Amino acid sequence: MLKALLLLLQVTQQYLVMGPVQAAIQDGRFAALAPICRPSVVVSLEEPLAIRGALGREQFIDEFSSRFSALEVEKLEWSSIQVEEDNAVQSLNLIMKRRFSGSRVFYKLILFMNRDASPPKGKEWKLYYLRGLKM
């Protein structure tokens, strides 16, 4: 129990992939996701992003960027984090506005990650599955 608590404290201090994801979404520069993605990312996103399948990292970033360009983020809030030793899940609530119609979209992104233990950088969290739900 103490080991899990210490691990959770260590991981939440590092925020897993919060920084790069939040910056990419706020700035619209999704190429910044490349260092935190596995070579292949499985994606299941509902409208308005609507992407499904196993995509190469670059293809995922291109598709996500293209779909996201029609939206503007009004608010984002990290809502949960669950960590086990080498697996983690984070969720992000988004309130977005469609650029053309102005209508609001309430959306939840759920990021599934595991640790990359390959040298030289040591253990880093990498995104392998992204789920998106319209709320």
Side-chain angles (χ1 to χ4, degrees):
M1 177 69 175
L2 183 58
K3 182 181 176 184
L5 191 56
L6 290 173
L7 178 64
L8 180 60
L9 181 60
Q10 175 189 3
V11 168
T12 54
Q13 287 175 347
Q14 295 173 1
Y15 302 114
L16 301 173
V17 296
M18 273 187 201
V21 170
Q22 188 165 329
I25 289 173
Q26 288 176 327
D27 300 339
R29 296 186 183 136
F30 296 100
L33 297 177
I36 63 161
C37 290
R38 293 260 172 227
S40 178
V41 179
V42 177
V43 184
S44 180
L45 303 176
E46 293 180 357
E47 288 289 337
L49 299 174
I51 307 169
R52 293 195 185 277
L55 306 173
R57 177 179 27 228
E58 291 78 18
Q59 184 184 8
F60 158 67
I61 291 169
D62 288 347
E63 292 285 331
F64 192 75
S65 179
S66 174
R67 300 289 195 313
F68 215 90
S69 66
L71 302 163
E72 180 180 321
V73 175
E74 289 186 345
K75 183 178 180 182
L76 61 85
E77 176 182 81
W78 291 96
S79 60
S80 70
I81 182 172
Q82 180 178 347
V83 180
E84 294 180 10
E85 289 202 28
D86 290 327
N87 295 297
V89 178
Q90 282 182 282
S91 63
L92 173 63
N93 294 331
L94 297 167
I95 299 175
M96 302 178 291
K97 185 169 52 172
R98 295 179 197 267
R99 291 189 191 272
F100 299 110
S101 69
S103 63
R104 284 201 169 101
V105 178
F106 296 86
Y107 207 79
K108 180 180 283 284
L109 284 176
I110 306 167
L111 300 94
F112 294 83
M113 299 151 286
N114 54 17
R115 286 196 193 212
D116 182 7
S118 61
K121 295 186 179 184
K123 291 192 171 191
E124 291 184 348
W125 293 100
K126 298 286 185 173
L127 179 68
Y128 69 88
Y129 178 59
L130 180 64
R131 178 80 169 111
L133 305 167
K134 187 175 176 183
M135 300 190 300

